[in-house]
Amino acid sequence: MQQTLIELLDARVSAALAAVGCEGAPAVIAPAGRPEFGDYQANGVMGAAKARKMNPRQLASEVLEKLDLAGIASKVEIAGPGFINITLAPEFLAALAHEAMADAKLGVPQPVSQRVVVDYSSPNLAKEMHVGHLRSTIIGDALARVLRFLGHEVIAQNHVGDWGTQFGMLTAYLIEAEQGGEATLALNDLEDFYRRAKQRFDADEAFATHSREYVVKLQGGDAQVNALWQKFLDVSLHHCEAVYEKLGVGLTRADVRGESAYNDDLPVVVADLKAKGLAVESEGAQVVFLEEFSNKEGEAQAYIVQKQDGGYLYATTDLAAVRYRAATLKADRALYVVDARQGLHFQQMFTVSRKAGYAPQGMQLEHVGFGVMLGEDGKPFKTRTGGTVKLAELLEEAEHRAFALVSEKNANMPESERRAIAAAVGIGAVKYADLSKNRNSDYVFSWDSMLAFEGNTAPYLQYAYTRIAGVFRRVEHFDAAAPIVLEEEAERQLALALVRFSEALHSVARETMPHFLCAYLYELSGQFMRFYEACPVLKSEGALRDSRLRLCRLTADTLKTGLGLLGIGVLEAM
RNA sequence: GCCGCCAUAGUUCAAUGGAUAGAACGGCCGCCUCCUAAGCGGCAGAUACAGGUUCGAUUCCUGUUGGUGGUACCA
């Protein structure tokens, strides 16, 4: 299939609209709101009729006469004020399912390929990763996977915080720890390391002076301090990689391009902005005034690119980065998976990038923002004692809880197997709980609802997969090329859900909304569960059995692929 | 102050301007001699408030209330 079902129906209805004198009128195809309205509905007739002062039901019947859905729909009817309800023919759905099974991409059409930079995770290397890094990391990872699946060339950019005055303090403390012979031990817990360094900094004036000197030496390229800094970064990145490994996130060292990578470019950017008349001096700082962000009095908002003391800010670094992504990486599209609170910064940065010509007109710049994680009290998620929750500890807790539940349900299963299931289920539950929500809103993190492992959770989807795996364990032979026959309503609904995979993926890529894929997979799993209850597979016979087994096969493949795109694993048993 | 975002069942979340606002959890009632009940079916339950635009508004506009975030030298 070269297009999604919606695209196909849109083309057909648009053609019919054009045939009755409504050229250019949008067909407005949407999945039907209710089962009795069929599978898809075309809502465009009402608007077209209104614009032409026509009777909408009359126009709908004219459109219907011209509408060619031969071989596609089994029923097309006008309803309500002028809706066109379309029910797809079982044979058509069966054919699409058949095609999907023969295709490595499960029948998902590949759009025109773009080169897409996805900036995500980007932790500060001065400290250990905490829960605040979870959303960027997994949302970005899911988007990167979906874009790659659709044939885009994704360049992941882990824009880590590896620069700034705090690294003077950390390297100074590292050399002390090394002299004390306990550097390895001290670096075991980065959070603690930072705390102790900060305590030294605050309590000991000599150490503070020493730290400041190190900042200067670091910036000046001093070999010894640079080596210490590199060592610290290396340790910190190892901590990150352990978390990525546990999370099943594909980021590697090759994707790391930290803030420090742009150091040399910062004065160049500022000079360029000045030369272009964009940056001007104000109160000793270099500032770009943006009339796009002015208040009612017409006063332009300031966007500072260089401080009074000559230092640079993240605004400058981000401008250098966007220049790099456009000019060197030649990206068609750049996604910034960063906290929604930085929305204003990105809007300003994008505006300056356009004005300065750093990002060409054709390059899409998108801030993929997301809300904060809240505790069950509605306040930012913290430990009982008010500290930040380390990501590594959160994930351990998830596995721990999952292991207890797995053990409860499968007392006789070998421990190693229970551990493997607990890892997939626990981590999957954490990721799914996050990814399944609209990223724009804040969300409440709740162990209880996340690890109840029932309802709309990752384990529900994983369980649907294991049920299918269980069926195939009992199958000795079946005709993998047998025709798919959709007679029962549950079979038809399952097939419909299966062929909608492409719509879900295209929506995710277009809107950068992973929760669309979660909603899709939950719907698919639900349809499968209903099919499983209503249509015996192994107890049926002959062609019917083969057909049902093929539906099972495609469902399993789609679930595995879809969950894989969310970075969630499936299990043969659980 | 100014600018932005948010407000949907008891709770946690959905809903490209479309029909009777969907789920999940919790509550109540059913379904395992039958492919794993981490499942399936049923019942009750919601758009903060007031206007406006529209054939049609949870969605767009205005105002109100209540949250929350950003906002000249952190990121």
Side-chain angles (χ1 to χ4, degrees), chain A residues 123-135:
Chain A
N124 182 348
L125 296 185
K127 298 187 181 182
E128 214 158 308
M129 287 182 81
H130 57 85
V131 292
H133 300 112
L134 179 66
R135 303 204 76 184

Side-chain angles (χ1 to χ4, degrees), chain A residues 431-477:
Chain A
K431 295 178 80 170
Y432 188 85
D434 192 316
L435 291 169
S436 61
K437 288 162 183 76
N438 185 321
R439 59 174 168 75
N440 285 313
S441 47
D442 295 343
Y443 84 97
V444 176
F445 182 92
S446 164
W447 282 116
D448 289 343
S449 60
M450 183 184 304
L451 299 181
F453 300 142
E454 40 187 56
N456 189 2
T457 62
Y460 177 85
L461 309 184
Q462 292 168 321
Y463 182 64
Y465 183 89
T466 66
R467 282 187 139 182
I468 301 172
V471 168
F472 279 101
R473 271 197 297 278
R474 292 161 180 263
V475 173
E476 287 181 1
H477 49 80

Side-chain angles (χ1 to χ4, degrees), chain A residues 42-100:
Chain A
N43 303 329
V45 170
M46 276 113 43
K50 180 67 182 174
R52 290 163 183 78
K53 295 186 166 49
M54 295 170 74
N55 176 310
R57 285 200 62 115
Q58 171 66 32
L59 179 61
S61 71
E62 287 176 28
V63 169
L64 215 59
E65 277 180 36
K66 299 290 185 185
L67 183 55
D68 176 18
L69 290 176
I72 295 173
S74 59
K75 187 168 76 175
V76 185
E77 55 187 10
I78 301 167
F83 296 101
I84 296 178
N85 292 337
I86 300 166
T87 302
L88 298 170
E91 302 75 28
F92 177 64
L93 289 174
L96 290 182
H98 185 84
E99 276 180 43

Side-chain angles (χ1 to χ4, degrees), chain A residues 386-419:
Chain A
T388 53
V389 179
K390 288 183 186 177
L391 202 37
E393 288 175 2
L394 178 96
L395 300 178
E396 272 168 34
E397 172 83 8
E399 285 193 40
H400 182 76
R401 291 191 185 222
F403 181 73
L405 192 96
V406 173
S407 299
E408 185 184 309
K409 291 188 186 287
N410 308 287
N412 300 323
M413 190 181 273
E415 181 173 334
S416 61
E417 203 171 325
R418 281 181 282 144
R419 291 275 173 215

Side-chain angles (χ1 to χ4, degrees), chain A residues 249-528:
Chain A
V249 162
L251 285 168
T252 68
R253 292 274 168 131
D255 303 316
V256 173
R257 189 172 169 90
E259 293 172 348
S260 64
Y262 302 100
N263 280 341
D264 295 345
D265 220 26
L266 304 182
V268 181
V269 166
V270 173
D272 184 68
L273 291 172
K274 288 179 76 172
K276 286 175 173 152
L278 287 167
V280 294
E281 186 174 325
S282 172
E283 296 176 33
Q286 297 300 328
V287 181
V288 181
F289 288 98
L290 295 167
E291 63 266 24
E292 288 85 348
F293 299 89
S294 51
N295 62 16
K296 284 176 191 159
E297 281 70 46
E299 295 160 337
Q301 166 98 211
Y303 190 60
I304 301 176
V305 294
Q306 187 174 21
K307 298 193 284 184
Q308 279 182 332
D309 65 5
Y312 300 99
L313 301 100
Y314 78 139
T316 334
T317 310
D318 276 351
L319 285 168
V322 78
R323 220 163 63 128
Y324 170 77
R325 290 164 188 185
T328 305
L329 299 180
K330 303 198 187 309
D332 299 307
R333 187 183 187 191
L335 306 179
Y336 291 81
V337 187
V338 182
D339 192 333
R341 288 176 292 194
Q342 292 186 40
L344 178 61
H345 159 70
F346 281 107
Q347 293 319 308
Q348 292 173 321
M349 195 270 281
F350 294 161
T351 302
V352 174
S353 298
R354 299 285 187 206
K355 287 186 157 183
Y358 298 160
Q361 283 310 312
M363 180 178 173
Q364 297 167 256
L365 297 173
E366 297 167 50
H367 173 209
V368 181
F370 52 84
V372 297
M373 236 166 84
L374 304 173
E376 293 188 64
D377 57 0
K379 289 186 281 200
F381 189 62
K382 293 280 168 72
T383 59
R384 273 72 57 191
T385 54
T388 53
V389 179
K390 288 183 186 177
L391 202 37
E393 288 175 2
L394 178 96
L395 300 178
E396 272 168 34
E397 172 83 8
E399 285 193 40
H400 182 76
R401 291 191 185 222
F403 181 73
L405 192 96
V406 173
S407 299
E408 185 184 309
K409 291 188 186 287
N410 308 287
N412 300 323
M413 190 181 273
E415 181 173 334
S416 61
E417 203 171 325
R418 281 181 282 144
R419 291 275 173 215
I421 294 170
V425 167
I427 302 298
V430 169
K431 295 178 80 170
Y432 188 85
D434 192 316
L435 291 169
S436 61
K437 288 162 183 76
N438 185 321
R439 59 174 168 75
N440 285 313
S441 47
D442 295 343
Y443 84 97
V444 176
F445 182 92
S446 164
W447 282 116
D448 289 343
S449 60
M450 183 184 304
L451 299 181
F453 300 142
E454 40 187 56
N456 189 2
T457 62
Y460 177 85
L461 309 184
Q462 292 168 321
Y463 182 64
Y465 183 89
T466 66
R467 282 187 139 182
I468 301 172
V471 168
F472 279 101
R473 271 197 297 278
R474 292 161 180 263
V475 173
E476 287 181 1
H477 49 80
F478 82 105
D479 181 1
I484 293 172
V485 183
L486 307 173
E487 282 174 0
E488 295 290 328
E489 184 55 18
E491 293 175 304
R492 213 189 68 87
Q493 289 296 335
L494 176 59
L496 177 61
L498 285 166
V499 302
R500 280 181 171 166
F501 187 42
S502 57
E503 287 173 8
L505 295 184
H506 282 257
S507 303
V508 171
R510 188 176 57 246
E511 314 286 339
T512 60
M513 289 289 198
H515 81 284
F516 291 159
L517 179 53
C518 296
Y520 167 79
L521 292 171
Y522 182 60
E523 165 71 17
L524 174 63
S525 298
Q527 292 299 353
F528 173 76

